[in-house]
């Protein structure tokens, strides 16, 4: 399938819902110059090969990076009720999006350092009631998220130990040691507690992330009584929401971006 960056792409030919995967890789290191007049080539710098298309609501996608190996399942609820009813993941659940990540880390990482993040190039700066609504929703329902509205980029991020709805350690299905999600969040809101815990290499981890506020089909923020609906597709200028775990600027998992035809009506840029 062609790249979403290609202006020649016929949007009508794209599925209504799809995702792309952007893998960050290291340039191979070449020990010396290719010939007498060439400078030394490669120093292990990180680069991206560009996005590849992957299905949502399908099979698990294998992932393997410098930091993590495993698989990811992506669930996006369609706005079409009949189509949504055919997806078992959403049966009896209020969720609009769900991400299941399973695998092992290749090195020891502090709970404080592993983050979930979305990064966009300049977006429309919502004004008036829209801005107040977005900030209210974030502060009221997602107080652990860090929002940065800058001139060059906008980002939201949070430690994984606060943002994941479920974390299961080991093959026996044992929870992380807390009686509830709220108990885990209370504990890890303390920075010292996050710094004292680590994801250990060789141990299998299962993470589940889900939310019911933003549809990745319609790209509207909704579900809060009295607040109406806000078109995030327009505010984001057609840039998608993403799923990516990060260690500083490095990608622990590949970056998955979630597109819909409604989003692409507002632009074809990649965040």
């Amino acid at each position: 399938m062609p790249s979403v960056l290609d202006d020649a792409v016929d949007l009508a030919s794209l599925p209504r819902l799809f995702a792309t995967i952007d893998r960050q890789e290291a340039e191979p290191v070449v020990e010396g110059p290719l010939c007498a007049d060439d400078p030394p080539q490669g120093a292990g710098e990180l680069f991206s090969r560009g996005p590849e298309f992957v299905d949502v609501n399908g099979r698990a996608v294998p992932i393997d990076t410098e930091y993590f190996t495993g698989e990811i399942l992506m669930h996006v609820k369609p706005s079409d009720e009949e189509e949504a009813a055919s997806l078992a993941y959403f049966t009896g659940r209020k969720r609009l999006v769900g991400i299941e990540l399973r695998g092992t880390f290749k090195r020891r990482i502090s709970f404080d350092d592993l983050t979930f993040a979305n990064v966009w190039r300049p977006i429309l700066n919502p004004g008036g009631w829209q801005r107040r609504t977005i900030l209210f929703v974030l502060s009221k329902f997602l107080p652990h998220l860090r929002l940065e509205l800058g001139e060059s980029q906008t980002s939201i991020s949070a430690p994984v130990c606060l943002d994941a709805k479920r974390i299961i350690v080991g093959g026996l299905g044992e929870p992380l040691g807390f009686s509830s999600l709220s108990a885990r969040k209370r504990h890890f809101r303390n920075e010292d507690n996050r710094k004292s815990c680590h994801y250990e290499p060789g141990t299998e981890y299962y993470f589940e992330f889900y939310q019911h506020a933003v549809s990745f089909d319609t790209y509207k923020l909704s579900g809060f009584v009295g607040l109406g609906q806000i078109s995030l597709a327009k505010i984001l200028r057609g840039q998608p929401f993403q799923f990516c775990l990060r260690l500083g600027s490095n990608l622990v998992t590949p970056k998955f971006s979630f597109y819909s035809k409604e989003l692409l009506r507002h632009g074809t840029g990649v965040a």
Side-chain angles (χ1 to χ4, degrees), residues 30-100:
V30 180
E31 293 299 331
L34 299 180
C35 65
D37 296 327
D38 289 334
Q41 300 294 309
E45 295 90 349
L46 293 174
F47 75 105
S48 171
R49 293 190 182 278
E52 308 165 21
F53 281 74
V54 293
D55 292 330
V56 296
N57 300 323
R59 292 176 296 180
V61 177
I63 56 177
D64 188 40
T65 71
E66 179 183 355
Y67 299 94
F68 187 86
T69 184
E71 62 180 23
I72 185 171
L73 266 168
M74 297 170 285
H75 310 277
V76 177
K77 188 174 185 178
S79 56
D80 180 85
E81 292 184 5
E82 184 175 343
E83 186 179 353
S86 69
L87 300 174
Y89 180 82
F90 296 105
T91 301
R93 293 169 166 172
K94 194 178 178 182
R95 306 170 190 178
L96 294 174
V97 178
I99 304 290
E100 296 178 272

Side-chain angles (χ1 to χ4, degrees), residues 152-211:
S152 61
Q153 70 176 31
T154 293
S155 67
I156 55 174
S157 62
V160 168
C161 60
L162 290 176
D163 199 62
K165 298 300 190 296
R166 282 205 297 164
I167 302 177
I168 296 175
V169 183
L172 299 178
E174 295 295 329
L176 196 57
F178 296 94
S179 58
S180 65
L181 173 61
S182 59
R184 166 159 52 91
K185 287 187 173 183
R186 281 195 302 272
H187 181 78
F188 286 122
R189 283 194 185 109
N190 183 292
E191 183 179 353
D192 290 337
N193 290 340
R194 295 196 302 271
K195 288 182 175 180
S196 67
C197 291
H198 296 80
Y199 301 100
E200 300 292 349
T203 299
E204 183 180 85
Y205 291 85
Y206 169 85
F207 302 91
E208 185 178 20
F209 303 79
Y210 54 83
Q211 53 90 3

